[in-house]
Amino acid sequence: QVHLEEFGGGLVQPGGSLRLSCAASGFVFNIYDMEWYRQAPGKERELVATITNTGSTTTYADSVKGRFAISRDNAKNFCHLQMNNLKPEDTAVYYCRGGPAFIGWGRGTQVTVSS
């Protein structure tokens, strides 16, 4: 079955970096775009970054452009989100999404940027 699992969150000081990973299984990974979302307490879930199936094109929310970089390894069925110069407003649960159908949000991975 389709499964996505996020890893790599944690506690970091402002200005620090984290690398999130999403492990995909249960579908042909290399024909689907992948996305990272985040949801902060009391706020709606927002789209953070996207990457096309081959990795040739990426997009970013204005709030993270220049600081975050999405990438993927189609040989390993992984999608990553490198987060640099983290800010307190980046604190959220981060989720990956992609594949043949939306099967619901997983647990995500918590990113906490202290202030």
Side-chain angles (χ1 to χ4, degrees):
Q1 76 280 19
V2 172
H3 183 68
L4 301 170
E5 188 168 0
E6 301 91 347
F7 302 94
L11 175 65
V12 64
Q13 296 292 307
S17 297
L18 283 174
R19 186 185 186 223
L20 308 184
S21 298
C22 174
S25 61
F27 63 96
V28 181
F29 184 69
N30 64 9
I31 66 171
Y32 294 101
D33 296 354
M34 294 296 296
E35 303 170 327
W36 281 96
Y37 288 77
R38 67 185 181 187
Q39 186 167 34
K43 296 185 176 181
E44 68 182 18
R45 183 177 279 102
E46 67 170 330
L47 179 63
V48 174
T50 71
I51 187 167
T52 53
N53 64 314
T54 64
S56 62
T57 303
T58 58
T59 71
Y60 300 92
D62 288 342
S63 58
V64 307
K65 186 170 292 186
R67 299 187 297 118
F68 289 13
I70 188 172
S71 62
R72 66 192 297 160
D73 184 344
N74 285 346
K76 301 292 186 182
N77 289 2
F78 266 83
C79 182
H80 306 286
L81 185 68
Q82 178 67 46
M83 306 184 297
N84 299 321
N85 192 24
L86 283 160
K87 304 177 183 298
E89 53 263 42
D90 296 319
T91 295
V93 179
Y94 285 71
Y95 305 87
C96 61
R97 186 186 189 278
F102 179 64
I103 45 75
W105 302 106
R107 289 181 172 85
T109 186
Q110 175 73 51
V111 172
T112 302
V113 185
S114 66
S115 182

mmCIF file with all atom_site columns, all heavy atoms in Angstrom, residues 66-89:
data_model
loop_
_atom_site.group_PDB
_atom_site.id
_atom_site.type_symbol
_atom_site.label_atom_id
_atom_site.label_alt_id
_atom_site.label_comp_id
_atom_site.label_asym_id
_atom_site.label_entity_id
_atom_site.label_seq_id
_atom_site.pdbx_PDB_ins_code
_atom_site.Cartn_x
_atom_site.Cartn_y
_atom_site.Cartn_z
_atom_site.occupancy
_atom_site.B_iso_or_equiv
_atom_site.pdbx_formal_charge
_atom_site.auth_seq_id
_atom_site.auth_comp_id
_atom_site.auth_asym_id
_atom_site.auth_atom_id
_atom_site.pdbx_PDB_model_num
ATOM 1   N N   . GLY A 1 66 ? 14.874 30.686 -0.638 1.00 0.00 ? 66 GLY A N   1
ATOM 2   C CA  . GLY A 1 66 ? 16.233 31.091 -0.330 1.00 0.00 ? 66 GLY A CA  1
ATOM 3   C C   . GLY A 1 66 ? 16.796 30.434 0.907  1.00 0.00 ? 66 GLY A C   1
ATOM 4   O O   . GLY A 1 66 ? 18.008 30.497 1.148  1.00 0.00 ? 66 GLY A O   1
ATOM 5   N N   . ARG A 1 67 ? 15.933 29.800 1.697  1.00 0.00 ? 67 ARG A N   1
ATOM 6   C CA  . ARG A 1 67 ? 16.378 29.138 2.916  1.00 0.00 ? 67 ARG A CA  1
ATOM 7   C C   . ARG A 1 67 ? 16.188 27.626 2.866  1.00 0.00 ? 67 ARG A C   1
ATOM 8   O O   . ARG A 1 67 ? 16.971 26.889 3.455  1.00 0.00 ? 67 ARG A O   1
ATOM 9   C CB  . ARG A 1 67 ? 15.632 29.693 4.131  1.00 0.00 ? 67 ARG A CB  1
ATOM 10  C CG  . ARG A 1 67 ? 15.848 31.183 4.356  1.00 0.00 ? 67 ARG A CG  1
ATOM 11  C CD  . ARG A 1 67 ? 15.226 31.637 5.677  1.00 0.00 ? 67 ARG A CD  1
ATOM 12  N NE  . ARG A 1 67 ? 13.771 31.454 5.702  1.00 0.00 ? 67 ARG A NE  1
ATOM 13  C CZ  . ARG A 1 67 ? 13.120 30.658 6.549  1.00 0.00 ? 67 ARG A CZ  1
ATOM 14  N NH1 . ARG A 1 67 ? 13.807 29.967 7.464  1.00 0.00 ? 67 ARG A NH1 1
ATOM 15  N NH2 . ARG A 1 67 ? 11.808 30.561 6.515  1.00 0.00 ? 67 ARG A NH2 1
ATOM 16  N N   . PHE A 1 68 ? 15.138 27.178 2.185  1.00 0.00 ? 68 PHE A N   1
ATOM 17  C CA  . PHE A 1 68 ? 14.819 25.752 2.099  1.00 0.00 ? 68 PHE A CA  1
ATOM 18  C C   . PHE A 1 68 ? 15.144 25.232 0.705  1.00 0.00 ? 68 PHE A C   1
ATOM 19  O O   . PHE A 1 68 ? 15.065 25.974 -0.281 1.00 0.00 ? 68 PHE A O   1
ATOM 20  C CB  . PHE A 1 68 ? 13.337 25.503 2.377  1.00 0.00 ? 68 PHE A CB  1
ATOM 21  C CG  . PHE A 1 68 ? 12.901 25.709 3.805  1.00 0.00 ? 68 PHE A CG  1
ATOM 22  C CD1 . PHE A 1 68 ? 13.698 26.347 4.736  1.00 0.00 ? 68 PHE A CD1 1
ATOM 23  C CD2 . PHE A 1 68 ? 11.650 25.247 4.210  1.00 0.00 ? 68 PHE A CD2 1
ATOM 24  C CE1 . PHE A 1 68 ? 13.279 26.535 6.043  1.00 0.00 ? 68 PHE A CE1 1
ATOM 25  C CE2 . PHE A 1 68 ? 11.218 25.424 5.515  1.00 0.00 ? 68 PHE A CE2 1
ATOM 26  C CZ  . PHE A 1 68 ? 12.029 26.067 6.431  1.00 0.00 ? 68 PHE A CZ  1
ATOM 27  N N   . ALA A 1 69 ? 15.474 23.952 0.618  1.00 0.00 ? 69 ALA A N   1
ATOM 28  C CA  . ALA A 1 69 ? 15.705 23.306 -0.659 1.00 0.00 ? 69 ALA A CA  1
ATOM 29  C C   . ALA A 1 69 ? 15.127 21.896 -0.637 1.00 0.00 ? 69 ALA A C   1
ATOM 30  O O   . ALA A 1 69 ? 15.479 21.086 0.226  1.00 0.00 ? 69 ALA A O   1
ATOM 31  C CB  . ALA A 1 69 ? 17.193 23.259 -0.987 1.00 0.00 ? 69 ALA A CB  1
ATOM 32  N N   . ILE A 1 70 ? 14.241 21.628 -1.574 1.00 0.00 ? 70 ILE A N   1
ATOM 33  C CA  . ILE A 1 70 ? 13.656 20.302 -1.701 1.00 0.00 ? 70 ILE A CA  1
ATOM 34  C C   . ILE A 1 70 ? 14.464 19.502 -2.721 1.00 0.00 ? 70 ILE A C   1
ATOM 35  O O   . ILE A 1 70 ? 14.957 20.051 -3.707 1.00 0.00 ? 70 ILE A O   1
ATOM 36  C CB  . ILE A 1 70 ? 12.162 20.389 -2.109 1.00 0.00 ? 70 ILE A CB  1
ATOM 37  C CG1 . ILE A 1 70 ? 11.493 19.022 -2.059 1.00 0.00 ? 70 ILE A CG1 1
ATOM 38  C CG2 . ILE A 1 70 ? 12.005 21.045 -3.478 1.00 0.00 ? 70 ILE A CG2 1
ATOM 39  C CD1 . ILE A 1 70 ? 9.976  19.078 -2.271 1.00 0.00 ? 70 ILE A CD1 1
ATOM 40  N N   . SER A 1 71 ? 14.613 18.219 -2.469 1.00 0.00 ? 71 SER A N   1
ATOM 41  C CA  . SER A 1 71 ? 15.332 17.346 -3.387 1.00 0.00 ? 71 SER A CA  1
ATOM 42  C C   . SER A 1 71 ? 14.744 15.943 -3.300 1.00 0.00 ? 71 SER A C   1
ATOM 43  O O   . SER A 1 71 ? 13.929 15.652 -2.420 1.00 0.00 ? 71 SER A O   1
ATOM 44  C CB  . SER A 1 71 ? 16.832 17.335 -3.081 1.00 0.00 ? 71 SER A CB  1
ATOM 45  O OG  . SER A 1 71 ? 17.080 16.822 -1.778 1.00 0.00 ? 71 SER A OG  1
ATOM 46  N N   . ARG A 1 72 ? 15.163 15.085 -4.218 1.00 0.00 ? 72 ARG A N   1
ATOM 47  C CA  . ARG A 1 72 ? 14.671 13.713 -4.179 1.00 0.00 ? 72 ARG A CA  1
ATOM 48  C C   . ARG A 1 72 ? 15.721 12.760 -4.723 1.00 0.00 ? 72 ARG A C   1
ATOM 49  O O   . ARG A 1 72 ? 16.581 13.144 -5.519 1.00 0.00 ? 72 ARG A O   1
ATOM 50  C CB  . ARG A 1 72 ? 13.365 13.575 -4.973 1.00 0.00 ? 72 ARG A CB  1
ATOM 51  C CG  . ARG A 1 72 ? 13.505 13.806 -6.465 1.00 0.00 ? 72 ARG A CG  1
ATOM 52  C CD  . ARG A 1 72 ? 12.126 13.932 -7.120 1.00 0.00 ? 72 ARG A CD  1
ATOM 53  N NE  . ARG A 1 72 ? 11.348 12.709 -7.008 1.00 0.00 ? 72 ARG A NE  1
ATOM 54  C CZ  . ARG A 1 72 ? 10.023 12.633 -7.131 1.00 0.00 ? 72 ARG A CZ  1
ATOM 55  N NH1 . ARG A 1 72 ? 9.321  13.748 -7.362 1.00 0.00 ? 72 ARG A NH1 1
ATOM 56  N NH2 . ARG A 1 72 ? 9.398  11.475 -7.022 1.00 0.00 ? 72 ARG A NH2 1
ATOM 57  N N   . ASP A 1 73 ? 15.633 11.527 -4.279 1.00 0.00 ? 73 ASP A N   1
ATOM 58  C CA  . ASP A 1 73 ? 16.495 10.461 -4.747 1.00 0.00 ? 73 ASP A CA  1
ATOM 59  C C   . ASP A 1 73 ? 15.574 9.358  -5.242 1.00 0.00 ? 73 ASP A C   1
ATOM 60  O O   . ASP A 1 73 ? 15.057 8.562  -4.454 1.00 0.00 ? 73 ASP A O   1
ATOM 61  C CB  . ASP A 1 73 ? 17.407 9.964  -3.629 1.00 0.00 ? 73 ASP A CB  1
ATOM 62  C CG  . ASP A 1 73 ? 18.396 8.912  -4.088 1.00 0.00 ? 73 ASP A CG  1
ATOM 63  O OD1 . ASP A 1 73 ? 18.209 8.334  -5.185 1.00 0.00 ? 73 ASP A OD1 1
ATOM 64  O OD2 . ASP A 1 73 ? 19.363 8.659  -3.349 1.00 0.00 ? 73 ASP A OD2 1
ATOM 65  N N   . ASN A 1 74 ? 15.347 9.321  -6.540 1.00 0.00 ? 74 ASN A N   1
ATOM 66  C CA  . ASN A 1 74 ? 14.401 8.366  -7.099 1.00 0.00 ? 74 ASN A CA  1
ATOM 67  C C   . ASN A 1 74 ? 14.895 6.928  -7.019 1.00 0.00 ? 74 ASN A C   1
ATOM 68  O O   . ASN A 1 74 ? 14.097 5.990  -7.077 1.00 0.00 ? 74 ASN A O   1
ATOM 69  C CB  . ASN A 1 74 ? 14.066 8.733  -8.545 1.00 0.00 ? 74 ASN A CB  1
ATOM 70  C CG  . ASN A 1 74 ? 13.120 9.919  -8.633 1.00 0.00 ? 74 ASN A CG  1
ATOM 71  O OD1 . ASN A 1 74 ? 12.513 10.317 -7.643 1.00 0.00 ? 74 ASN A OD1 1
ATOM 72  N ND2 . ASN A 1 74 ? 12.994 10.492 -9.821 1.00 0.00 ? 74 ASN A ND2 1
ATOM 73  N N   . ALA A 1 75 ? 16.197 6.736  -6.900 1.00 0.00 ? 75 ALA A N   1
ATOM 74  C CA  . ALA A 1 75 ? 16.734 5.391  -6.758 1.00 0.00 ? 75 ALA A CA  1
ATOM 75  C C   . ALA A 1 75 ? 16.434 4.809  -5.384 1.00 0.00 ? 75 ALA A C   1
ATOM 76  O O   . ALA A 1 75 ? 16.373 3.589  -5.220 1.00 0.00 ? 75 ALA A O   1
ATOM 77  C CB  . ALA A 1 75 ? 18.239 5.383  -7.018 1.00 0.00 ? 75 ALA A CB  1
ATOM 78  N N   . LYS A 1 76 ? 16.261 5.680  -4.405 1.00 0.00 ? 76 LYS A N   1
ATOM 79  C CA  . LYS A 1 76 ? 16.007 5.246  -3.039 1.00 0.00 ? 76 LYS A CA  1
ATOM 80  C C   . LYS A 1 76 ? 14.596 5.543  -2.566 1.00 0.00 ? 76 LYS A C   1
ATOM 81  O O   . LYS A 1 76 ? 14.253 5.216  -1.426 1.00 0.00 ? 76 LYS A O   1
ATOM 82  C CB  . LYS A 1 76 ? 17.002 5.925  -2.086 1.00 0.00 ? 76 LYS A CB  1
ATOM 83  C CG  . LYS A 1 76 ? 18.458 5.634  -2.398 1.00 0.00 ? 76 LYS A CG  1
ATOM 84  C CD  . LYS A 1 76 ? 18.803 4.185  -2.148 1.00 0.00 ? 76 LYS A CD  1
ATOM 85  C CE  . LYS A 1 76 ? 20.297 3.938  -2.334 1.00 0.00 ? 76 LYS A CE  1
ATOM 86  N NZ  . LYS A 1 76 ? 20.637 2.496  -2.143 1.00 0.00 ? 76 LYS A NZ  1
ATOM 87  N N   . ASN A 1 77 ? 13.779 6.167  -3.405 1.00 0.00 ? 77 ASN A N   1
ATOM 88  C CA  . ASN A 1 77 ? 12.408 6.543  -3.046 1.00 0.00 ? 77 ASN A CA  1
ATOM 89  C C   . ASN A 1 77 ? 12.370 7.462  -1.825 1.00 0.00 ? 77 ASN A C   1
ATOM 90  O O   . ASN A 1 77 ? 11.585 7.261  -0.896 1.00 0.00 ? 77 ASN A O   1
ATOM 91  C CB  . ASN A 1 77 ? 11.542 5.310  -2.805 1.00 0.00 ? 77 ASN A CB  1
ATOM 92  C CG  . ASN A 1 77 ? 11.229 4.550  -4.078 1.00 0.00 ? 77 ASN A CG  1
ATOM 93  O OD1 . ASN A 1 77 ? 11.680 4.900  -5.160 1.00 0.00 ? 77 ASN A OD1 1
ATOM 94  N ND2 . ASN A 1 77 ? 10.438 3.498  -3.951 1.00 0.00 ? 77 ASN A ND2 1
ATOM 95  N N   . PHE A 1 78 ? 13.220 8.474  -1.853 1.00 0.00 ? 78 PHE A N   1
ATOM 96  C CA  . PHE A 1 78 ? 13.279 9.456  -0.777 1.00 0.00 ? 78 PHE A CA  1
ATOM 97  C C   . PHE A 1 78 ? 13.097 10.862 -1.324 1.00 0.00 ? 78 PHE A C   1
ATOM 98  O O   . PHE A 1 78 ? 13.567 11.178 -2.423 1.00 0.00 ? 78 PHE A O   1
ATOM 99  C CB  . PHE A 1 78 ? 14.616 9.399  -0.037 1.00 0.00 ? 78 PHE A CB  1
ATOM 100 C CG  . PHE A 1 78 ? 14.608 8.528  1.180  1.00 0.00 ? 78 PHE A CG  1
ATOM 101 C CD1 . PHE A 1 78 ? 14.781 7.169  1.084  1.00 0.00 ? 78 PHE A CD1 1
ATOM 102 C CD2 . PHE A 1 78 ? 14.427 9.083  2.441  1.00 0.00 ? 78 PHE A CD2 1
ATOM 103 C CE1 . PHE A 1 78 ? 14.774 6.365  2.213  1.00 0.00 ? 78 PHE A CE1 1
ATOM 104 C CE2 . PHE A 1 78 ? 14.419 8.287  3.580  1.00 0.00 ? 78 PHE A CE2 1
ATOM 105 C CZ  . PHE A 1 78 ? 14.595 6.917  3.452  1.00 0.00 ? 78 PHE A CZ  1
ATOM 106 N N   . CYS A 1 79 ? 12.423 11.682 -0.546 1.00 0.00 ? 79 CYS A N   1
ATOM 107 C CA  . CYS A 1 79 ? 12.342 13.108 -0.795 1.00 0.00 ? 79 CYS A CA  1
ATOM 108 C C   . CYS A 1 79 ? 12.846 13.826 0.449  1.00 0.00 ? 79 CYS A C   1
ATOM 109 O O   . CYS A 1 79 ? 12.535 13.410 1.571  1.00 0.00 ? 79 CYS A O   1
ATOM 110 C CB  . CYS A 1 79 ? 10.906 13.524 -1.107 1.00 0.00 ? 79 CYS A CB  1
ATOM 111 S SG  . CYS A 1 79 ? 10.690 15.267 -1.496 1.00 0.00 ? 79 CYS A SG  1
ATOM 112 N N   . HIS A 1 80 ? 13.624 14.877 0.251  1.00 0.00 ? 80 HIS A N   1
ATOM 113 C CA  . HIS A 1 80 ? 14.250 15.589 1.365  1.00 0.00 ? 80 HIS A CA  1
ATOM 114 C C   . HIS A 1 80 ? 13.875 17.060 1.353  1.00 0.00 ? 80 HIS A C   1
ATOM 115 O O   . HIS A 1 80 ? 13.533 17.628 0.318  1.00 0.00 ? 80 HIS A O   1
ATOM 116 C CB  . HIS A 1 80 ? 15.775 15.478 1.291  1.00 0.00 ? 80 HIS A CB  1
ATOM 117 C CG  . HIS A 1 80 ? 16.280 14.073 1.212  1.00 0.00 ? 80 HIS A CG  1
ATOM 118 N ND1 . HIS A 1 80 ? 16.291 13.224 2.295  1.00 0.00 ? 80 HIS A ND1 1
ATOM 119 C CD2 . HIS A 1 80 ? 16.779 13.363 0.166  1.00 0.00 ? 80 HIS A CD2 1
ATOM 120 C CE1 . HIS A 1 80 ? 16.784 12.060 1.928  1.00 0.00 ? 80 HIS A CE1 1
ATOM 121 N NE2 . HIS A 1 80 ? 17.089 12.113 0.648  1.00 0.00 ? 80 HIS A NE2 1
ATOM 122 N N   . LEU A 1 81 ? 13.964 17.661 2.516  1.00 0.00 ? 81 LEU A N   1
ATOM 123 C CA  . LEU A 1 81 ? 13.801 19.100 2.643  1.00 0.00 ? 81 LEU A CA  1
ATOM 124 C C   . LEU A 1 81 ? 14.922 19.628 3.517  1.00 0.00 ? 81 LEU A C   1
ATOM 125 O O   . LEU A 1 81 ? 14.925 19.403 4.730  1.00 0.00 ? 81 LEU A O   1
ATOM 126 C CB  . LEU A 1 81 ? 12.437 19.463 3.239  1.00 0.00 ? 81 LEU A CB  1
ATOM 127 C CG  . LEU A 1 81 ? 12.127 20.962 3.301  1.00 0.00 ? 81 LEU A CG  1
ATOM 128 C CD1 . LEU A 1 81 ? 11.940 21.528 1.892  1.00 0.00 ? 81 LEU A CD1 1
ATOM 129 C CD2 . LEU A 1 81 ? 10.890 21.229 4.155  1.00 0.00 ? 81 LEU A CD2 1
ATOM 130 N N   . GLN A 1 82 ? 15.874 20.296 2.895  1.00 0.00 ? 82 GLN A N   1
ATOM 131 C CA  . GLN A 1 82 ? 16.958 20.941 3.624  1.00 0.00 ? 82 GLN A CA  1
ATOM 132 C C   . GLN A 1 82 ? 16.483 22.309 4.080  1.00 0.00 ? 82 GLN A C   1
ATOM 133 O O   . GLN A 1 82 ? 16.056 23.120 3.250  1.00 0.00 ? 82 GLN A O   1
ATOM 134 C CB  . GLN A 1 82 ? 18.202 21.074 2.744  1.00 0.00 ? 82 GLN A CB  1
ATOM 135 C CG  . GLN A 1 82 ? 19.374 21.777 3.409  1.00 0.00 ? 82 GLN A CG  1
ATOM 136 C CD  . GLN A 1 82 ? 19.957 20.986 4.553  1.00 0.00 ? 82 GLN A CD  1
ATOM 137 O OE1 . GLN A 1 82 ? 20.178 19.786 4.430  1.00 0.00 ? 82 GLN A OE1 1
ATOM 138 N NE2 . GLN A 1 82 ? 20.203 21.646 5.683  1.00 0.00 ? 82 GLN A NE2 1
ATOM 139 N N   . MET A 1 83 ? 16.556 22.572 5.366  1.00 0.00 ? 83 MET A N   1
ATOM 140 C CA  . MET A 1 83 ? 16.083 23.819 5.942  1.00 0.00 ? 83 MET A CA  1
ATOM 141 C C   . MET A 1 83 ? 17.255 24.530 6.602  1.00 0.00 ? 83 MET A C   1
ATOM 142 O O   . MET A 1 83 ? 17.843 24.011 7.557  1.00 0.00 ? 83 MET A O   1
ATOM 143 C CB  . MET A 1 83 ? 14.969 23.564 6.956  1.00 0.00 ? 83 MET A CB  1
ATOM 144 C CG  . MET A 1 83 ? 13.815 22.743 6.397  1.00 0.00 ? 83 MET A CG  1
ATOM 145 S SD  . MET A 1 83 ? 12.456 22.565 7.582  1.00 0.00 ? 83 MET A SD  1
ATOM 146 C CE  . MET A 1 83 ? 13.296 21.657 8.882  1.00 0.00 ? 83 MET A CE  1
ATOM 147 N N   . ASN A 1 84 ? 17.583 25.706 6.095  1.00 0.00 ? 84 ASN A N   1
ATOM 148 C CA  . ASN A 1 84 ? 18.679 26.503 6.622  1.00 0.00 ? 84 ASN A CA  1
ATOM 149 C C   . ASN A 1 84 ? 18.158 27.818 7.172  1.00 0.00 ? 84 ASN A C   1
ATOM 150 O O   . ASN A 1 84 ? 17.071 28.272 6.821  1.00 0.00 ? 84 ASN A O   1
ATOM 151 C CB  . ASN A 1 84 ? 19.713 26.780 5.532  1.00 0.00 ? 84 ASN A CB  1
ATOM 152 C CG  . ASN A 1 84 ? 20.333 25.532 4.964  1.00 0.00 ? 84 ASN A CG  1
ATOM 153 O OD1 . ASN A 1 84 ? 20.617 24.575 5.688  1.00 0.00 ? 84 ASN A OD1 1
ATOM 154 N ND2 . ASN A 1 84 ? 20.563 25.531 3.651  1.00 0.00 ? 84 ASN A ND2 1
ATOM 155 N N   . ASN A 1 85 ? 18.972 28.443 8.014  1.00 0.00 ? 85 ASN A N   1
ATOM 156 C CA  . ASN A 1 85 ? 18.610 29.721 8.619  1.00 0.00 ? 85 ASN A CA  1
ATOM 157 C C   . ASN A 1 85 ? 17.200 29.690 9.188  1.00 0.00 ? 85 ASN A C   1
ATOM 158 O O   . ASN A 1 85 ? 16.367 30.553 8.905  1.00 0.00 ? 85 ASN A O   1
ATOM 159 C CB  . ASN A 1 85 ? 18.756 30.854 7.599  1.00 0.00 ? 85 ASN A CB  1
ATOM 160 C CG  . ASN A 1 85 ? 18.676 32.232 8.227  1.00 0.00 ? 85 ASN A CG  1
ATOM 161 O OD1 . ASN A 1 85 ? 18.948 32.398 9.417  1.00 0.00 ? 85 ASN A OD1 1
ATOM 162 N ND2 . ASN A 1 85 ? 18.289 33.224 7.443  1.00 0.00 ? 85 ASN A ND2 1
ATOM 163 N N   . LEU A 1 86 ? 16.947 28.697 9.998  1.00 0.00 ? 86 LEU A N   1
ATOM 164 C CA  . LEU A 1 86 ? 15.607 28.498 10.538 1.00 0.00 ? 86 LEU A CA  1
ATOM 165 C C   . LEU A 1 86 ? 15.189 29.639 11.449 1.00 0.00 ? 86 LEU A C   1
ATOM 166 O O   . LEU A 1 86 ? 16.012 30.208 12.178 1.00 0.00 ? 86 LEU A O   1
ATOM 167 C CB  . LEU A 1 86 ? 15.526 27.176 11.272 1.00 0.00 ? 86 LEU A CB  1
ATOM 168 C CG  . LEU A 1 86 ? 15.427 25.966 10.341 1.00 0.00 ? 86 LEU A CG  1
ATOM 169 C CD1 . LEU A 1 86 ? 15.824 24.688 11.062 1.00 0.00 ? 86 LEU A CD1 1
ATOM 170 C CD2 . LEU A 1 86 ? 14.007 25.850 9.786  1.00 0.00 ? 86 LEU A CD2 1
ATOM 171 N N   . LYS A 1 87 ? 13.907 29.949 11.392 1.00 0.00 ? 87 LYS A N   1
ATOM 172 C CA  . LYS A 1 87 ? 13.312 31.023 12.169 1.00 0.00 ? 87 LYS A CA  1
ATOM 173 C C   . LYS A 1 87 ? 12.230 30.462 13.074 1.00 0.00 ? 87 LYS A C   1
ATOM 174 O O   . LYS A 1 87 ? 11.665 29.406 12.794 1.00 0.00 ? 87 LYS A O   1
ATOM 175 C CB  . LYS A 1 87 ? 12.713 32.073 11.228 1.00 0.00 ? 87 LYS A CB  1
ATOM 176 C CG  . LYS A 1 87 ? 13.701 32.641 10.216 1.00 0.00 ? 87 LYS A CG  1
ATOM 177 C CD  . LYS A 1 87 ? 13.028 33.614 9.277  1.00 0.00 ? 87 LYS A CD  1
ATOM 178 C CE  . LYS A 1 87 ? 13.995 34.126 8.232  1.00 0.00 ? 87 LYS A CE  1
ATOM 179 N NZ  . LYS A 1 87 ? 15.122 34.881 8.847  1.00 0.00 ? 87 LYS A NZ  1
ATOM 180 N N   . PRO A 1 88 ? 11.899 31.155 14.167 1.00 0.00 ? 88 PRO A N   1
ATOM 181 C CA  . PRO A 1 88 ? 10.838 30.663 15.046 1.00 0.00 ? 88 PRO A CA  1
ATOM 182 C C   . PRO A 1 88 ? 9.527  30.403 14.307 1.00 0.00 ? 88 PRO A C   1
ATOM 183 O O   . PRO A 1 88 ? 8.814  29.454 14.658 1.00 0.00 ? 88 PRO A O   1
ATOM 184 C CB  . PRO A 1 88 ? 10.689 31.786 16.076 1.00 0.00 ? 88 PRO A CB  1
ATOM 185 C CG  . PRO A 1 88 ? 12.042 32.389 16.151 1.00 0.00 ? 88 PRO A CG  1
ATOM 186 C CD  . PRO A 1 88 ? 12.573 32.349 14.744 1.00 0.00 ? 88 PRO A CD  1
ATOM 187 N N   . GLU A 1 89 ? 9.216  31.202 13.306 1.00 0.00 ? 89 GLU A N   1
ATOM 188 C CA  . GLU A 1 89 ? 7.982  31.000 12.560 1.00 0.00 ? 89 GLU A CA  1
ATOM 189 C C   . GLU A 1 89 ? 7.986  29.753 11.691 1.00 0.00 ? 89 GLU A C   1
ATOM 190 O O   . GLU A 1 89 ? 6.961  29.401 11.104 1.00 0.00 ? 89 GLU A O   1
ATOM 191 C CB  . GLU A 1 89 ? 7.646  32.234 11.704 1.00 0.00 ? 89 GLU A CB  1
ATOM 192 C CG  . GLU A 1 89 ? 8.785  32.678 10.804 1.00 0.00 ? 89 GLU A CG  1
ATOM 193 C CD  . GLU A 1 89 ? 9.608  33.818 11.391 1.00 0.00 ? 89 GLU A CD  1
ATOM 194 O OE1 . GLU A 1 89 ? 9.900  33.780 12.604 1.00 0.00 ? 89 GLU A OE1 1
ATOM 195 O OE2 . GLU A 1 89 ? 9.955  34.748 10.638 1.00 0.00 ? 89 GLU A OE2 1
#
